[in-house]
Amino acid sequence: MWITPEEVLIANALWVSERANPFFILQRRKGHGKGGGITGLLVGTMDVVLDSSARAAPYRILLQTGDSQVYWSIACGGSRMEITTHWEWLEANLLQTLSIFENDEDISTFVKGKISGIIAEENKSKQAQEEEDSGKFREAELKMRKLFGMPEEEKLVNYYSCSFWKGRVPRQGWLYLTVNHICFYSFLLGKEVTLISQWTDVTRLEKNATLLFPESVRVCTRDTEHFFSMFLNINDTFKLMEQLATIAMRQILDNEGFAADLSLPKPRKTLKNVSALKRDLDARAKNERYRTLFRLTQEERLDGHTDCTLWAPFAKMHVTGQLFISNNYICFASREEDLCNLIIPLREVSVVEKADSSSVLPCPVSISTKNKMNFLFANLKDRDFLVQRISDFLQRTPDRIVMLSLNPMIKKETKTDWFVCPITNLSDVGSLCFGNTLPSPSLSLFFQAKEKMKEESWKIHFFEFGRGVCMYRTSKTRELVLNGLPECLRGELWLLFSGAQNEMATQPGYYGDLVEQAMGRCSLATEEIERDLHRSMPEHRAFQNEMGIAALRRVLTAYAHRNPGIGYCQAMNIVASVLLLYCTEEEAFWLLVALCERMLPDYYNTRVVGALVDQGVFEELTRACLPLLYEHMQELGVISSISLSWFLTLFLSVMPFDSAVLLVDCFFFEGIKVIFQVALAVLHDNMDALLACNDEGEAMTILGRYLDNVVNKQTVSSPIPHLHALLTSGDEPPPEIDVFDLIKSSYEKFGSLRSDVIEQMRFKQRLKVIQSLEDTAKRSVVRAMMTESAFSIDELEELYCLFKAKHVMSCYWGLGGSAAADRHDPSLPYLEQYRIDLGQFCQLFGALAPWRCGVHTPILAARLFRLLDRNKDGLVNFKEFVTGLSDRVTVVLCPEEAESALEATQFFTDDRSSEDKVKDYKYYLRMWAKEKEPEKETIKDLPRMSQEHFIELCKTLYNMFSEEGREQELYHSIATVASLLLRIGEVAKKFTNHTTKNAKTLAPSPPPAAARPEGEESCGEGSSGQSQDVCKALADAQLDSLPPLQGSDEDGRDDTSVSSYSMVSTGSLQCDDITDDTVLIGCGGQRRGSVVDSDWSITFEQMLASVLTEPPLVDYFEKKGDIQTKMAACKAQRNVERQTSSSSDHELAQNSV
């Protein structure tokens, strides 16, 4: 490409001149192309290590003037063809003009001006995609596309210098992280290393430090593992890798990953070495941490954060921390964990003002809320900008009038910049169900006193720390939660701690609308809900009447309607029933939303991925905290059996209700870490008994009895024992465990667990779980297809991987016309989840099909695709794909009309037998009995084939035999079989035509002999004119591979008619070979024999028997193709397509010369 002229002081350093004239020199970089020796190897290595731009553009053109030692670089190119084009343009357009100039300076000025003008014209034709200088990142992006052959749709996120360990030898090079691939390239002393892996294939990604690999990143796939080390900043690199791998795992699970990929900004406005994609992913990570920390909705976007101090009136001190501003909230988190957290919804803000600055309180901002709470922030670095951002968000807050009084001058004596927001009363929507008004058991005086003390403690807490969403959340709040929430405040505090209160306040009436929309609708989710309604806490009186059952039904149905991706999952009914005991229907619904979508992500989808991930985390925590017990439990296989029910129901299904609800209190405040702590404490308390167990059943019994006897001693309601406790024998009742002691023990022994550590462990387990689910899906598909295909298990697994790779590629590169949601439906069976379109099917068919059809391969692939695509959605699933490859004889017909192909398949699938006699009730009883029996279809049940479809079948067979080694033998055999079948059909017609004499008069009379070409006489005389039609049809089949003759109207041929071409050979069609000296003669005038004989027909048995008489045809169709070799070649071709530059530059240069 043309480049802005740059001065070059030393022209021949590290460059070789290949062409020259008095004004220009074409040079090649040493280490590229032919020769170079040790110098070339060193230069090539230096270019890769130092990330020189010469690696992407190894050719250049210099401007030289006279005896001057100063040169000007005016063009560069990545290939010889590109640079040669520029060289030829210079010779054709500038050489003669430059010879007129007498001054060297004038020549330089003229050429530089000309090149600058060309660049300006090119920039005008291009759209302004880059507003700022992209720096080296744009060069790296071009280099990535050149080295790995990536299309324009693939987006480079970032690249890093590092070492790739190949064996024990480190290879210094560059790691390129794209949205869908991890790539590495190195060129070291002539040795080239190219690595490409898809993120969807990554099974393990971890950062470790060993003696052999210090500070390295380990990337594992199903086949191999790679180590990368010597990063400048390994933490940032690993975080980015985690994000990209997470996006890939989401792509495997559902279509949201592809939507997230498409929502990434296009690669423009890059700054220096950082791309817009990298900044966007960093912003996503910050948003996710922000939403998780303060339990906010997925729509919340962090606008910015800054260091500050918050005046804590309860402690009479300033707390250091960070202030976060988003579109709907102002949040604060102290630097010291759990010292103070604060959430202020903008809908609650009434006044924002800049207070007086002083040496004690610099740059303060005061925020007042509707409930008369005031918050004072100080030590703000950019107070004016912060206040302006808050005012902007306040103006966008719905149902609010903001009055601004701005004073540009800040006076110390007065307060300035008031933001007044009148308080608006939000209309409360009436509850659609009972709240906690259900009758409760009578409480003892002791329990009433305990409850009264809890209520008083919380009233004091509300007085000191505030009540509602804007309450200060401190370590004191945690202490009160661990002591148990009062019955009357439990629902309110659950809403507050989970963040459901904010979501409910911003969407009034949403639940009522959902209930109305879902009412009366029937789906798989509603059927499952109806089945589980009466299993939800049947021991509790609230759900022993229709009032409670109806409320639970409405909550679950409304959520299934809100989130069809989850719908309904078992265990949701247990959780929702507990929520309804303390909340109204609408509140229980929003708590369920918070649980399923934020606090327990992916727990309740179709594969319970989130629960399986946390089960893996629990196993890892057990190995770290209880290593001796872990080894024994793994031998028994207990951990995976017990933990799933514990996590899915938050211990509600395995522990007495009065005890488990206290764990739910802690869960809403602390999150999932409480569940892990309690689970570890349960194992620790039963360690001795579990170590003495000999089988899984004994261990399950011990844990079941222990959990069943975890009681809440502050209540008099007797716990209902579970089934496993009733079935266990023993004279001595097991000791009771106070749930408060269990919670306290879990905090004392395992309270060091941190949420960020759990999230890191979740990421590692998520890779493992999702890839394990994919392997399970693959095995299920293989087992299902074993009986329906001729492939082995290994072959089916390889085919599944190739098919899935094509599907994923089409989704994230946007290939084809269908969206990702149309291609991937996780709710379908595994055989039908992944689908490909026609273009991808043709690629796989051409690489894997057992027939070598030459130029006819795309035509046959398109016909087969139309036959396999039964629902006409333009996509084929894996089952249909394998079916198409497994069938050795597939009926594929004319390329012009897909209807003909469908009609052909119907001849071998539809039952066209007609019976005119009246059928009595016995007949229908027999038919009903036959429907209950498995159908066993034989070849005798297949209908007869008409002459029209027989001709099309012969044409298709001719196309299939193209480019075969025994092509002429096959042509001769099929001609012999066709002639024999024509005679058979004629004989059959004589036996069937005695009942339809009138039909003979409608048959077309044969054309006069004088009008027929000579060659048609050799087609046989005993075929009554039908052999002539087939002769001409077979000639058409060969015409597809030859250029059309002048004056032929091949495009206008009728699909159902016989061609007007005839074939003349040296011998008879029935007996002689179809050789290369075949003469094709075009017939003018009206087509003869264009009407097929409707009475002619043959059976499949007759066709099969005729084919079996020809050994070449038998050998062709019985020959087993080497699918393994073809699949290996297909994999290699995929790599070549993605890395066109994987071969060395020396080979490319040799091929281009």
Side-chain angles (χ1 to χ4, degrees), residues 289-329:
R289 288 193 295 269
Y290 169 66
R291 291 192 295 260
T292 303
L293 179 61
F294 298 105
R295 306 279 173 80
L296 303 178
T297 62
Q298 295 295 327
E299 294 77 20
E300 202 64 24
R301 296 291 181 267
L302 179 64
D303 185 69
H305 59 90
T306 182
D307 294 333
C308 70
T309 59
L310 170 66
W311 171 251
F314 54 88
K316 301 298 188 290
M317 59 179 291
H318 291 279
V319 179
T320 304
Q322 282 191 324
L323 181 68
F324 300 85
I325 306 295
S326 61
N327 47 336
N328 292 302
Y329 297 92

Side-chain angles (χ1 to χ4, degrees), residues 426-429 503-513 586 590:
L426 299 176
S427 60
D428 294 332
V429 180
E503 202 165 3
M504 183 175 65
T506 55
Q507 302 184 63
Y510 177 79
Y511 172 71
D513 296 338
E586 185 177 14
W590 287 114

Side-chain angles (χ1 to χ4, degrees), residues 614-627 630 673 676-677 680 750 753 757-758 761:
D614 281 351
Q615 176 180 294
V617 173
F618 180 57
E619 292 184 9
E620 192 171 347
L621 289 173
T622 305
R623 180 173 55 187
C625 302
L626 306 170
Y630 170 78
K673 60 175 282 187
F676 285 119
Q677 290 176 186
L680 289 172
F750 308 103
L753 286 179
V757 175
I758 292 176
M761 298 170 70

Side-chain angles (χ1 to χ4, degrees), residues 928-946:
W928 179 79
K930 288 182 179 180
E931 290 179 357
K932 298 297 182 181
E933 299 176 358
E935 296 182 359
K936 296 182 179 179
E937 188 179 28
T938 63
I939 59 176
K940 294 182 179 180
D941 299 325
L942 297 175
R944 302 174 70 89
M945 175 178 279
S946 68

